[in-house]
């Protein structure tokens, strides 16, 4: 029997506002689409949080035994600045600033995106389509929407008719917005717009003579609207009706709302059963922003080359930090928060290393089966990684009690504990052991042993304040001193 048949997974569906039992359209198979990056700049930590969150979803579905087709696109057609219909293309603007071709910009920042996610130990998607590779599919969808009466062409541009669509459908079904309120809050048309209504959005834009990225279409040379590409690529690879669509919370409106409208206008079908949205990452309590300087890039975090943090932090520790919050909650990144995560990460890894030396008894006083199911219960409750991590630290306590002889574990249960910990920590959470080089280990051991000698000397001189100070300062760095009959040892 496949594992998913024994575990009842529930996920929060943004379109219903409730946790629902996950039932895939096809038994044992899952189709999942996640909106990828627009590759005009370096991927920032907030973007990474979204992709790490859906990597967790992907990993857990695979662990349960589902055959998952995970599609995540690359937006290499630079949609307009601020995601409106007028203005300068983001990729073309960056190409002008850097004085290179737009596709050089695309290549440069796509490679950066892949490199960063690889460092975070994200699994690659099953398919990673590009918007420029699917212009024909996008044109066909526009033709279908026009034929069904929900779009109109003006001066070489094609717009989606939101008001007409809403007469027979619900524009706002995902975001909960009412079209009357949206109309009341939009500016009056100034007479220069080609739109019939301010809410109408572009399916195809006529390219001005200076616009570099352009393609031929039945309506003249132009480029596709931002929302259209995801509709084309998701349905091409997952079908007109698929299981899961994910993305950042900021994409719920208008992007995902428009995707639903485009699908229903072209095919008559609602495209997705479960909509999932990952929440934002803030920095020191404020929204991340390049313009204000309240921002940090992953490489700046890994190298320590920034003015925000006291030291560098590894990708594994950063991933662990992200997993300590539920994907639907706002997560605030700060020096104190990630320092605490680093200590917890090292405690967890130290316990896993200790498994190989645990003493085995004829019977167990610990209940591994019950503990294991609590871990599954956490993940089955809308991928609740912070609760899972809390249960992993229950296992850490269990391991320490067994080491101290206060609990016992049988050989069979020890093997089950090892297998389960490896599954939850490495396969599902996607964490990696941090292995220092032999030279680094030797240097660290030498420094710590020197401090232990200094502490022993302080204790011999009854300078207990200095002794405690050395112990406490090492503890702040995640190095724990252990006093025993044979002297003082340390662990990291």
């Amino acid at each position: 029997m496949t594992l998913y048949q024994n575990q009842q997974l529930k996920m929060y569906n943004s379109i219903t506002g409730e946790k629902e039992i996950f039932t895939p359209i096809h038994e044992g198979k899952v189709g999942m689409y996640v909106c990828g990056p627009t590759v005009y700049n370096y991927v920032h930590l907030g973007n990474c949080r979204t992709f790490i969150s859906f990597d967790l979803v992907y990993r857990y579905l695979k662990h349960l035994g589902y055959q998952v087709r995970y599609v995540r696109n690359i937006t290499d057609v630079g949609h307009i600045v601020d995601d409106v219909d007028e203005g300068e293309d983001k990729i073309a603007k960056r190409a002008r600033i850097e004085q290179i071709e737009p596709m050089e910009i695309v290549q440069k920042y796509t490679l950066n995106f892949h490199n960063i996610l690889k460092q975070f130990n994200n699994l690659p998607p099953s398919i990673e389509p590009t918007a420029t590779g699917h212009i024909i599919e996008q044109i066909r969808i526009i033709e279908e929407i026009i034929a069904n009466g929900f779009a109109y062409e003006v001066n070489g541009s094609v717009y989606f008719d939101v008001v007409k669509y809403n007469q027979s459908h619900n524009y706002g079904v995902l975001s909960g917005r009412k079209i009357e309120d949206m109309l009341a809050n939009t500016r009056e048309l100034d007479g220069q717009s080609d739109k019939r209504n301010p809410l109408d959005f572009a399916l195809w834009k006529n390219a001005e003579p200076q616009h570099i990225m352009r393609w031929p279409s039945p309506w003249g040379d132009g480029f596709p609207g931002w929302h259209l590409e995801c509709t084309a690529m998701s349905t091409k690879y997952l079908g007109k009706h698929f299981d899961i669509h994910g993305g950042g919370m900021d994409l719920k409106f208008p992007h995902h709302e428009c995707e639903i409208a485009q699908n229903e206008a072209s095919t008559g079908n609602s495209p997705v059963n479960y909509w999932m949205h990952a929440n934002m990452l803030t920095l020191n309590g404020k929204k991340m922003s390049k313009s204000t300087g309240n921002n940090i890039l992953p490489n700046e975090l890994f190298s320590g080359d920034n003015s925000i943090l006291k030291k560098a932090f590894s990708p594994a520790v950063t991933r662990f930090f992200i997993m300590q919050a539920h994907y639907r909650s706002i997560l605030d990144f700060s020096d104190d928060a990630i320092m605490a995560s680093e200590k917890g990460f090292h405690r967890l890894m130290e316990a896993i290393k200790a498994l190989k030396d645990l003493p085995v008894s004829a019977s167990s006083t610990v209940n591994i089966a019950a503990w294991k199911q609590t871990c599954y219960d956490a993940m089955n409750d809308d991928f609740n990684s912070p609760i899972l991590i809390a249960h992993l630290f229950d296992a850490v306590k269990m391991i320490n009690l067994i080491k101290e002889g206060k609990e016992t574990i049988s050989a069979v249960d020890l093997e089950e504990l090892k297998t389960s910990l490896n599954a939850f920590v490495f396969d599902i959470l996607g964490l990696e052991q941090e292995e220092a080089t032999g030279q680094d280990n030797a240097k660290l051991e030498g420094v710590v042993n020197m401090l232990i000698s200094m502490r022993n000397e302080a204790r011999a001189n009854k300078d207990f304040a200095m002794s405690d100070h050395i112990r406490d300062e090492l503890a702040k760095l995640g190095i724990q001193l252990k006093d025993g009959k044979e002297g003082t040892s340390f662990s990291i």
Side-chain angles (χ1 to χ4, degrees):
M1 181 175 285
T2 311
L3 190 55
Y4 66 77
Q5 294 172 310
N6 290 326
Q7 303 293 335
Q8 187 178 79
L9 172 62
K10 288 186 176 181
M11 61 179 69
Y12 183 86
N13 193 346
S14 296
I15 206 163
T16 63
E18 296 178 354
K19 290 180 188 176
E20 300 176 0
I21 296 171
F22 177 64
T23 306
I25 296 167
H26 303 289
E27 171 72 25
K29 297 181 179 180
V30 178
M32 180 170 78
Y33 184 88
V34 173
C35 293
T38 303
V39 282
Y40 71 99
N41 211 332
Y42 295 113
V43 62
H44 63 71
L45 204 56
N47 297 139
C48 293
R49 186 199 178 185
T50 295
F51 300 123
I52 290 170
S53 295
F54 285 103
D55 185 61
L56 173 70
V57 173
Y58 181 37
R59 284 172 173 275
Y60 189 58
L61 290 171
K62 285 167 66 72
H63 174 79
L64 290 179
Y66 287 110
Q67 181 183 336
V68 186
R69 177 176 289 175
Y70 175 20
V71 182
R72 186 187 66 214
N73 73 298
I74 293 288
T75 296
D76 57 350
V77 177
H79 57 78
I80 306 303
V81 174
D82 297 326
D83 308 330
V84 295
D85 291 334
E86 306 298 333
E88 189 172 8
D89 177 299
K90 287 180 176 180
I91 289 174
K93 180 179 180 180
R94 177 61 61 174
R96 180 171 53 78
I97 291 169
E98 298 192 20
Q99 297 185 323
I100 56 178
E101 284 290 322
M103 278 301 155
E104 288 182 79
I105 291 293
V106 165
Q107 180 73 358
K108 175 180 177 178
Y109 293 114
T110 299
L111 288 174
N112 167 255
F113 172 68
H114 287 154
N115 179 51
I116 294 298
L117 289 195
K118 186 176 181 181
Q119 290 183 75
F120 277 125
N121 199 32
N122 271 30
L123 298 175
S126 314
I127 304 173
E128 192 173 52
T130 63
T132 56
H134 297 77
I135 298 295
I136 292 172
E137 289 84 352
Q138 293 176 74
I139 289 172
R140 285 175 180 164
I141 291 172
I142 295 171
E143 290 174 331
E144 290 172 354
I145 295 173
I146 291 174
N148 291 338
F150 295 114
Y152 55 93
E153 182 266 335
V154 181
N155 297 327
S157 294
V158 181
Y159 296 97
F160 190 94
D161 194 332
V162 170
V163 172
K164 185 170 182 183
Y165 170 81
N166 197 63
Q167 291 172 357
S168 54
H169 300 78
N170 181 9
Y171 185 77
V173 64
L174 178 63
S175 61
R177 303 186 185 207
K178 301 293 182 187
I179 195 167
E180 297 81 7
D181 297 333
M182 287 188 275
L183 286 169
N185 292 327
T186 52
R187 60 175 176 81
E188 292 294 322
L189 292 175
D190 57 12
Q192 297 180 355
S193 175
D194 291 331
K195 297 180 185 180
R196 293 177 184 171
N197 188 289
L199 290 181
D200 294 352
F201 56 89
L203 298 172
W204 187 266
K205 282 292 290 182
N206 178 49
E208 299 294 331
Q210 70 274 16
H211 199 95
I212 303 171
M213 302 185 82
R214 57 200 298 142
W215 291 266
S217 80
W219 315 284
D221 281 5
F223 53 96
W226 170 39
H227 313 302
L228 188 65
E229 63 183 70
C230 287
T231 295
M233 289 183 278
S234 63
T235 55
K236 175 167 183 174
Y237 297 108
L238 298 175
K240 294 178 180 178
H241 186 207
F242 57 94
D243 297 299
I244 301 170
H245 194 314
M249 195 76 77
D250 57 321
L251 297 181
K252 185 184 287 189
F253 186 90
H255 185 52
H256 291 159
E257 195 75 72
C258 293
E259 278 194 64
I260 292 172
Q262 289 165 164
N263 272 281
E264 292 191 346
S266 60
T267 68
N269 295 324
S270 181
V272 178
N273 282 354
Y274 304 90
W275 285 90
M276 297 181 68
H277 292 93
N279 216 324
M280 66 189 296
L281 183 71
T282 57
L283 180 58
N284 291 323
K286 298 177 182 177
K287 185 177 180 181
M288 282 196 181
S289 169
K290 293 191 182 86
S291 60
T292 63
N294 194 55
N295 184 57
I296 187 167
L297 297 175
N299 280 333
E300 295 170 339
L301 173 63
F302 304 154
S303 67
D305 185 17
N306 63 81
S307 59
I308 295 170
L309 304 173
K310 294 174 185 172
K311 61 185 283 292
F313 293 93
S314 69
V317 167
T318 308
R319 185 180 176 103
F320 182 67
F321 165 77
I322 288 171
M323 293 294 179
Q324 285 185 289
H326 190 265
Y327 77 90
R328 285 193 290 114
S329 65
I330 293 174
L331 173 59
D332 187 52
F333 185 90
S334 68
D335 194 59
D336 288 345
I338 195 165
M339 281 287 285
S341 282
E342 186 177 53
K343 290 177 183 177
F345 175 83
H346 288 146
R347 276 183 59 215
L348 180 60
M349 294 302 161
E350 191 70 26
I352 291 172
K353 288 178 184 176
L355 282 171
K356 66 179 184 296
D357 297 321
L358 280 188
V360 174
S361 302
S363 62
S364 297
T365 58
V366 291
N367 190 334
I368 301 302
W371 166 81
K372 179 179 173 182
Q373 189 55 49
T374 64
C375 293
Y376 277 113
D377 290 344
M379 287 303 294
N380 291 337
D381 183 18
D382 193 30
F383 310 97
N384 202 323
S385 58
I387 300 299
L388 169 61
I389 289 170
H391 292 315
L392 295 179
F393 280 107
D394 289 339
V396 171
K397 293 174 188 174
M398 191 190 307
I399 290 165
N400 289 332
L401 289 172
I402 294 167
K403 281 170 63 178
E404 295 164 9
K406 296 175 182 177
E407 298 281 3
T408 61
I409 191 167
S410 68
V412 172
D413 280 347
L414 178 58
E415 194 58 37
E416 181 69 6
L417 179 60
K418 287 179 181 177
T419 302
S420 299
L421 266 177
N422 283 325
F424 287 111
V425 173
F426 302 120
D427 298 342
I428 295 170
L429 290 179
L431 302 177
E432 291 183 296
Q433 288 270 19
E434 290 182 317
E435 293 295 342
T437 65
Q439 188 177 12
D440 289 340
N441 280 329
K443 287 179 180 178
L444 176 62
E445 187 172 345
V447 171
V448 175
N449 283 332
M450 179 184 70
L451 289 168
I452 289 172
S453 295
M454 292 171 63
R455 179 170 174 263
N456 289 339
E457 185 178 343
R459 292 169 78 184
N461 294 329
K462 300 191 185 310
D463 187 355
F464 298 114
M466 177 56 71
S467 169
D468 292 345
H469 179 69
I470 292 172
R471 180 199 62 207
D472 294 344
E473 287 301 309
L474 286 171
K476 287 179 183 177
L477 297 172
I479 300 170
Q480 303 293 327
L481 298 185
K482 298 176 183 176
D483 296 318
K485 293 178 182 178
E486 298 178 2
T488 302
S489 61
F490 71 92
S491 63
I492 300 175

